[in-house]
């Protein structure tokens, strides 16, 4: 496992601070606020720590306040139901005694049953595609000096966009995109960790899908963008250290909000997870 990936695994390894209460550090990725995927991954880990012999099949969360990347986050887990087949947990994330995220996670015993899926969409293979890190290095000289280090830092999740957007000169395009991604280095055989890492990774790029038709990105100083909620469904087993295809689209944007969806496929075309997210995509009025 690479050092940068080990740090992410340690970030998701929460410390118990009382009955069904946990604490996690925050990671500064150069954004003004805590990366939403970090809170999702840690919330899922907190809930999973209170469940035995069942894996999460869905997570639904609302982002209530922006998080401070310089402060730890406390997670309270509430035991809603322990049924014969399903288990439900509610998770509340807090900083300075204020809620920044609330969500619910449902767990299920392993079962067999009917099985079907959409075929994987056509996409070029990850081989031959450049990583986002490579593109960041190519753009480094055009980035403000105080942002260069965070913009070009090595990431634990390698992302290779199929049709990359220049964040400094975006052009309108269809509200759909694809990218391959994986954790860098080999990971332990822990399905809970792999689910938490996928929850973390699923927030990368999803919001930007609803911006694509409008020729703007999160780096536009006139834009106020933030994830409002996030849902993820885990369909089938997967590994985060194998390549996964993230196929995203945005069916609608209105009222200052953009709706985004995603399907995650393994390299052999198996549909392993799906996501949905609504985001704030508000253009601030310009001041002369």
């Amino acid at each position: 496992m690479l050092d940068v990936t080990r740090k992410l695994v340690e970030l998701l390894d929460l410390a118990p601070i009382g009955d069904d209460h946990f604490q996690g550090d925050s990671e500064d990725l150069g954004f003004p606020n805590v990366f939403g995927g970090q809170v999702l991954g840690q919330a899922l880990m907190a809930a999973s720590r209170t469940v035995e012999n069942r894996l999460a099949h869905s997570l639904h969360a609302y982002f209530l306040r922006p998080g401070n990347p310089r402060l730890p986050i406390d997670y309270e887990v509430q035991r809603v139901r322990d049924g014969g087949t399903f288990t439900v947990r509610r998770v509340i994330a807090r900083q300075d005694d204020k809620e920044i995220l609330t969500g619910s996670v449902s767990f299920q015993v392993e079962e067999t049953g009917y099985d079907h899926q959409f075929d994987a969409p056509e996409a070029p293979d990850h081989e031959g595609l450049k990583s986002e890190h490579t593109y960041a290095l190519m753009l480094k000289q055009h980035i403000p000096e105080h942002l260069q280090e965070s913009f070009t830092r090595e990431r634990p999740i390698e992302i290779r966009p199929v049709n990359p957007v220049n964040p400094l000169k975006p052009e309108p395009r269809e509200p759909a995109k694809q990218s391959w991604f994986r954790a860098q280095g080999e990971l332990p055989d822990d399905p809970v960790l792999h689910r938490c890492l996928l929850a973390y990774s699923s927030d990368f790029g999803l919001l930007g899908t609803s911006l694509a038709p409008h020729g703007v990105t999160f780096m536009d100083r006139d834009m106020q963008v933030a994830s409002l909620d996030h849902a993820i469904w885990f369909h089938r087993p997967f590994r985060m250290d194998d390549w996964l295809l993230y196929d995203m689209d945005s069916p609608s944007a209105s009222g200052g909000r953009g709706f985004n969806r995603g399907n995650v496929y393994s390299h052999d075309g198996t549909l392993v997870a799906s996501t949905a997210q609504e985001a704030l995509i508000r253009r601030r009025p310009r001041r002369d």
Side-chain angles (χ1 to χ4, degrees), residues 26-78:
S26 293
E27 180 183 37
D28 188 352
L29 294 181
F31 304 133
N33 307 311
V34 170
F35 172 53
Q38 176 205 305
V39 190
L40 292 170
Q42 289 180 330
L44 179 55
M45 180 63 77
S48 299
R49 291 279 175 84
T50 69
V51 178
E52 295 183 0
N53 303 319
R54 300 181 181 191
L55 292 172
H57 70 87
S58 67
L59 178 153
H60 300 257
Y62 282 93
F63 297 100
L64 305 177
R65 292 180 177 88
N68 186 336
R70 294 177 293 279
L71 296 177
I73 304 174
D74 293 336
Y75 294 89
E76 175 190 350
V77 180
Q78 300 174 353

Side-chain angles (χ1 to χ4, degrees), residues 12-26:
L12 297 174
D13 187 20
L14 307 179
I17 56 174
D19 292 342
D20 294 345
H21 283 71
F22 306 86
Q23 186 175 86
D25 293 329
S26 293

